[in-house]
C-alpha cells in the first residue's frame, strides 16, 4: 500500500541515511524530509535523492506549532518518523535549553499534529542513553526494554522525557506510536563532532585526537544502515505501543575505536591526546536486541570490522562533504569545546 511518510531531521546523519534507504527501497511511497537545517543539518547529505519523484524537502522547525499543523493538514501523512533532535551530549552540557525545546516540545508538537490529523503511525527515534550507564566490570548486564530510565546528561534527560510523553500519548489518547532505542551509530554522513568521524577527519589531517578521560568508556557500535533496516521493520511489522531496543553487539572502548582508526589510516598512536573528561560521562552502554530479533526477525548486516572499514573508505572518498563542514562555524565550536587541550 502506498504511504506518505514524514521524516523529520532528514538532513542529519541517521535521518539522511534513512531518507536514502526509504526513497530507494519504496519507489511507491512518498517521503517528505522536514528539517530546520541547524548546524547539524546539511542538504549535501540528501543530494543523491534530490531529483527523485518520490521525495521532497521542506525547511521547517518541529517546534513551530502553526507551521507544523498547516503542513500536516496539507499533506495528510500516513506515518511520521521523528529523527529531528539536538543530538550531541557535549553541546547539551554547554547549553541545555535548546535540547528541551527541540527534543521535548518539538516531539509534543508533532504528536499533537499526528492526533489531530489522524496519522496512522508515529515513530519516535530514541536512544539507549535513556537507560543511563552500566558498570565496566559487569559485562553480563545489558539494557532491556523494561530497564528503568535513569539519565545522566541534559541530552539523555530530554530524550527520556520525550519517550515518556510518547508513551503517555499512546495510553491517554490512543496515539498509534512505536519507539526505538538504539546504541551508538556510525557510517556515512556522520557529523565530525562525534567520536568516529572526528577521529577519522583529524587523523587524516595529522591533528591531535582528543580522548576523554582514560579512554576506557565503552560504547556499543551499530552501522547506521542496520539502524535503518530496524526502523523499517518496526514501521511495517512492529506492535503499536511497543518499545524496541536496537543494538550492534559490538562493544568497544573508545581507545580501541581510536586505535582501530589509526591503524586503518596508517597513522601513529602518538596523535592520541588525553583531555579533560566529559562531565557526567556514561561508562558503558550495551543493548539487548532480543525482542527485535525474535519478534521481527531483524539481524544486523555489519559487524564493527566490516562497518568501520566501509566508513573509513566513505570518509576518504567524500572529503568534500566533511571538509565543507569543518571549515565553517565548526572551528569556533571546536575551540570552545576543546580549548587549548587539543
Ligand atoms: P544529527 O544531529 O546528525 O541530526 C539532527 C537533525 O535534526 C539535523 O539535520 C538538524 O538540522 C535537525 N533538527 C534539529 N532541530 C530541529 C528542529 N527544531 N526542527 C527540525 N529539524 C531539526 O542527529 P543524528 O545523530 O542523526 O540523530 C538522529 C536521531 O537519532 C536523534 O533523535 C538522536 O537522539 C537519535 N539517536 C542517535 C544516535 C547516534 O548514535 N547518532 C543513536 C541513537 C539515537
Ligand atoms: O548511544 C547513543 C548516543 O550515541 C546517541 O543518542 C547520541 O545522539 C550520540 O551522539 C552518541 O552519544 P555519545 O556521547 O556516546 O557519542 P560521542 O560520539 O559524543 O562520544 C562517544 C564516546 O567517545 C563517548 O564515550 C565520549 C568519547 N569522546 C567523544 C568525543 C567527541 C571522546 O573521547 N573524545 C571526543 O572528542
Amino acid at each position: 500500500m502506498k504511504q506518505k511518510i514524514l521524516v523529520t531531521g532528514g538532513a542529519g546523519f541517521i535521518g539522511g541515511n534513512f531518507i536514502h534507504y526509504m526513497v530507494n527501497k519504496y519507489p511507491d511511497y512518498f517521503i517528505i524530509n522536514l528539517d530546520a537545517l541547524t548546524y547539524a543539518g546539511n542538504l549535501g547529505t540528501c543530494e543523491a535523492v534530490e531529483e527523485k519523484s518520490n521525495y521532497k524537502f521542506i525547511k521547517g522547525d518541529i517546534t513551530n506549532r502553526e507551521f507544523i499543523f498547516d503542513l500536516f493538514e496539507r499533506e495528510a501523512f500516513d506515518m511520521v518518523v521523528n529523527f529531528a533532535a539536538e543530538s550531541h551530549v557535549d553541546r547539551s552540557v554547554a547549553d541545555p535549553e535548546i535540547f528541551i525545546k527541540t527534543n521535548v516540545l518539538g516531539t509534543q508538537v508533532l504528536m499533537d499534529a499526528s492526533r489531530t490529523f489522524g496519522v496512522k503511525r508515529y515513530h519516535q527515534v530514541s536512544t539507549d542513553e535513556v537507560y543511563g550507564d552500566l558498570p565496566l566490570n559487569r559485562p553480563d548486564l545489558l539494557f532491556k526494554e523494561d530497564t528503568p530510565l535513569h539519565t545522566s546528561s541534559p541530552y539523555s534527560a530530554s530524550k527520556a522525557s520525550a519517550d515518556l510523553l510518547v508513551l503517555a500519548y499512546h495510553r491517554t489518547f490512543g496515539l498509534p506510536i512505536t519507539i526505538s532505542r538504539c546504541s551508538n551509530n556510525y557510517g556515512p554522513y556522520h557529523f565530525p563532532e562525534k567520536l568516529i568521524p572526528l577521529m577519522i577527519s583529524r587523523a587524516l589531517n595529522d591533528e591531535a585526537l582528543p580522548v576523554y578521560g582514560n579512554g576506557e568508556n565503552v560504547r556499543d557500535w551499530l552501522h547506521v544502515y542496520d539502524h535503518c533496516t530496524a526502523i523499517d521493520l518496526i514501521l511495517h511489522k512492529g506492535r503499536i505501543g511497543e518499545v524496541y531496543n536496537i543494538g550492534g553487539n559490538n562493544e568497544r572502548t573508545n581507545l580501541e575505536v581510536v586505535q582501530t582508526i589509526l591503524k586503518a589510516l596508517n597513522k601513529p598512536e602518538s596523535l592520541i591526546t588525553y583531555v579533560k573528561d566529559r562531565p557526567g560521562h556514561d561508562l558503558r552502554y550495551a543493548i539487548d536486541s532480543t525482542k527485535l530479533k525474535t519478534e521481527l526477525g531483524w539481524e544486523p548486516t555489519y559487524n564493527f570490522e566490516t562497518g568501520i572499514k566501509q566508513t573509513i573508505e566513505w570518509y576518504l572518498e567524500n572529503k568534500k562533504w566533511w571538509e565543507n563542514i569543518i571549515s565553517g562555524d565548526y572551528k569556533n565550536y571546536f575551540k570552545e569545546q576543546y580549548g587549548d587541550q587539543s
Side-chain angles (χ1 to χ4, degrees), residues 55-71:
Y55 169 78
K56 180 163 86 177
F57 172 74
I58 297 176
K59 183 169 189 258
D61 188 329
I62 60 166
T63 68
N64 183 339
R65 184 171 284 269
E66 204 182 322
F67 164 80
I68 291 293
F69 271 62
D70 282 351
L71 178 72

Side-chain angles (χ1 to χ4, degrees), residues 12-14 17 40 45 87 184-198 200-201 221-222 224 311 314-315 321-322 325:
F13 164 45
I14 309 176
N17 277 278
T45 297
S87 68
N184 283 65
N185 284 215
Y186 66 103
Y189 302 111
H190 202 179
F191 195 87
E193 67 186 348
K194 307 283 171 64
L195 181 74
I196 288 184
L198 180 83
I200 297 174
S201 55
W221 294 98
L222 181 76
V224 63
T311 302
W314 188 89
Y315 278 84
W321 180 87
W322 57 266
I325 292 172

Side-chain angles (χ1 to χ4, degrees), residues 87-90 127-129 155 182-184 193-195 198-199 210-212 217 219 221 254 278 281 285 338:
S87 68
H88 194 34
V89 173
D90 293 326
T127 168
D128 61 357
E129 294 199 17
Y155 163 70
C182 191
S183 61
N184 283 65
E193 67 186 348
K194 307 283 171 64
L195 181 74
L198 180 83
M199 298 301 166
V211 171
Y212 296 161
N217 301 59
R219 296 293 181 266
W221 294 98
N254 293 336
R278 169 186 283 175
H281 197 174
Y285 304 143
Y338 297 93

Side-chain angles (χ1 to χ4, degrees), residues 254-272:
N254 293 336
L255 197 55
E256 283 168 344
V257 169
V258 176
Q259 284 167 334
T260 304
I261 292 169
L262 285 172
K263 196 163 171 217
L265 293 175
N266 205 15
K267 298 284 183 181
E269 289 204 7
S270 56
L271 287 178
I272 295 174

Side-chain angles (χ1 to χ4, degrees), residues 40-254:
N42 187 339
L43 277 185
T45 297
C46 302
E47 226 168 61
V49 293
E50 221 167 62
E51 302 296 326
K52 298 264 185 179
S53 57
N54 62 337
Y55 169 78
K56 180 163 86 177
F57 172 74
I58 297 176
K59 183 169 189 258
D61 188 329
I62 60 166
T63 68
N64 183 339
R65 184 171 284 269
E66 204 182 322
F67 164 80
I68 291 293
F69 271 62
D70 282 351
L71 178 72
F72 275 61
E73 185 169 24
R74 208 170 54 239
E75 299 286 355
F77 299 114
D78 297 295
M79 296 187 186
V80 174
V81 186
N82 182 26
F83 289 93
E86 289 295 330
S87 68
H88 194 34
V89 173
D90 293 326
R91 287 184 191 254
S92 83
V93 175
D95 183 9
E97 193 167 345
I98 186 72
F99 284 75
I100 308 306
K101 184 172 181 220
T102 300
N103 300 359
V104 185
L105 299 179
T107 297
Q108 188 207 0
V109 169
L110 288 174
M111 288 197 297
D112 283 341
S114 298
R115 277 181 69 204
T116 305
F117 297 103
V119 164
K120 293 192 257 335
R121 175 71 68 90
Y122 175 88
H123 182 75
Q124 178 73 1
V125 179
S126 185
T127 168
D128 61 357
E129 294 199 17
V130 299
Y131 300 120
D133 63 353
L134 296 163
L136 293 176
N137 61 356
R138 289 290 308 272
D140 55 311
L141 294 180
L142 302 173
F143 297 133
K144 298 187 193 310
E145 286 80 358
D146 58 3
T147 299
L149 305 191
H150 185 79
T151 57
S152 314
S153 70
Y155 163 70
S156 56
S158 71
K159 292 296 288 184
S161 306
D163 280 16
L164 291 174
L165 263 183
V166 174
L167 292 170
Y169 268 57
H170 173 60
R171 172 142 178 182
T172 302
F173 305 121
L175 188 71
I177 63 97
T178 38
I179 297 177
S180 51
R181 296 184 179 142
C182 191
S183 61
N184 283 65
N185 284 215
Y186 66 103
Y189 302 111
H190 202 179
F191 195 87
E193 67 186 348
K194 307 283 171 64
L195 181 74
I196 288 184
L198 180 83
M199 298 301 166
I200 297 174
S201 55
R202 289 186 66 85
L204 284 172
N205 288 335
D206 296 306
E207 291 167 326
L209 308 186
V211 171
Y212 296 161
N214 56 15
E216 280 176 9
N217 301 59
V218 170
R219 296 293 181 266
D220 168 18
W221 294 98
L222 181 76
H223 192 279
V224 63
Y225 175 81
D226 290 320
H227 191 179
C228 294
T229 63
I231 294 177
D232 178 13
L233 268 178
I234 295 168
L235 282 180
H236 290 94
K237 294 190 183 153
R239 283 183 295 136
I240 302 282
E242 293 292 316
V243 175
Y244 293 92
N245 279 352
I246 313 170
N249 225 352
N250 288 295
E251 286 182 54
R252 297 286 185 284
T253 67
N254 293 336

